[in-house]
Amino acid sequence: MALHYCKRCGRIVEIKNYPVDDKCDYCNAVVYPVPEKYWLNGLDILMTKEQKNLLREELVKTSPEFDPSLFKRRGEDLIRRNAEREAMYARTKAFQEGRDVGNPFGVECPYCHATNVKKITTVSKALHTALFGVFSVSRNSKEFHCNHCNSDF
């Protein structure tokens, strides 16, 4: 397990199965082991921010493979990718827990964040008013019902 760098985008990553996993996880270019000169205290898994910047200046930006546009937008792209991955995991977990069956309304419960909701119809409001009278005023002001936590919102 050691640090590797990409000459194309400047990403520095820890690769456990080199040379099997010899591609950058951002731009899919070949990665290279970080030279000892840039290691922290002789450890090939630690680098300071200054060492990373020095490596990028000396080895990455001088490489003929270097792509300035990839280098510039790498951070933003990785943040966006991670956010998309987190959202996908959250949707999968919600579906597995029965909180997400999808809905055409595009809303989620403000209490449990489930998307397993239904719209409270006018007929339902009228029936509730007929049964409970003035006690149904607070419920009748709500638009949706959560099937997961049974709250109205």
Side-chain angles (χ1 to χ4, degrees), residues 40-58:
L40 179 63
N41 298 328
L43 298 174
D44 64 345
I45 56 171
L46 295 173
M47 291 178 75
T48 64
K49 188 174 183 176
E50 292 79 20
Q51 288 169 316
K52 288 180 181 183
N53 289 336
L54 183 63
L55 179 137
R56 288 181 178 127
E57 290 296 325
E58 292 179 351

Side-chain angles (χ1 to χ4, degrees), residues 12-126:
I12 299 171
V13 293
E14 186 176 310
I15 297 193
K16 298 176 183 174
N17 295 325
Y18 185 79
V20 176
D21 298 331
D22 65 343
K23 300 284 185 187
C24 176
D25 62 346
Y26 173 64
C27 68
N28 209 32
V30 175
V31 292
Y32 302 91
V34 172
E36 286 185 43
K37 171 183 174 183
Y38 303 99
W39 296 358
L40 179 63
N41 298 328
L43 298 174
D44 64 345
I45 56 171
L46 295 173
M47 291 178 75
T48 64
K49 188 174 183 176
E50 292 79 20
Q51 288 169 316
K52 288 180 181 183
N53 289 336
L54 183 63
L55 179 137
R56 288 181 178 127
E57 290 296 325
E58 292 179 351
L59 300 178
V60 175
K61 291 183 179 179
T62 59
S63 169
E65 301 168 35
F66 179 64
D67 185 343
S69 64
L70 277 178
F71 181 79
K72 183 178 180 181
R73 65 176 197 262
R74 175 177 38 93
E76 294 168 359
D77 285 348
L78 290 171
I79 290 169
R80 181 184 45 78
R81 282 184 191 178
N82 285 338
E84 289 170 358
R85 190 175 317 127
E86 294 279 334
M88 182 190 68
Y89 290 144
R91 284 192 305 272
T92 302
K93 183 178 179 186
F95 184 76
Q96 289 172 342
E97 293 174 352
R99 294 185 293 121
D100 187 1
V101 294
N103 65 53
F105 314 112
V107 297
E108 69 176 28
C109 175
Y111 307 108
C112 71
H113 302 287
T115 57
N116 187 2
V117 300
K118 67 179 180 182
K119 189 159 180 66
I120 300 173
T121 63
T122 306
V123 173
S124 172
K125 289 179 183 181

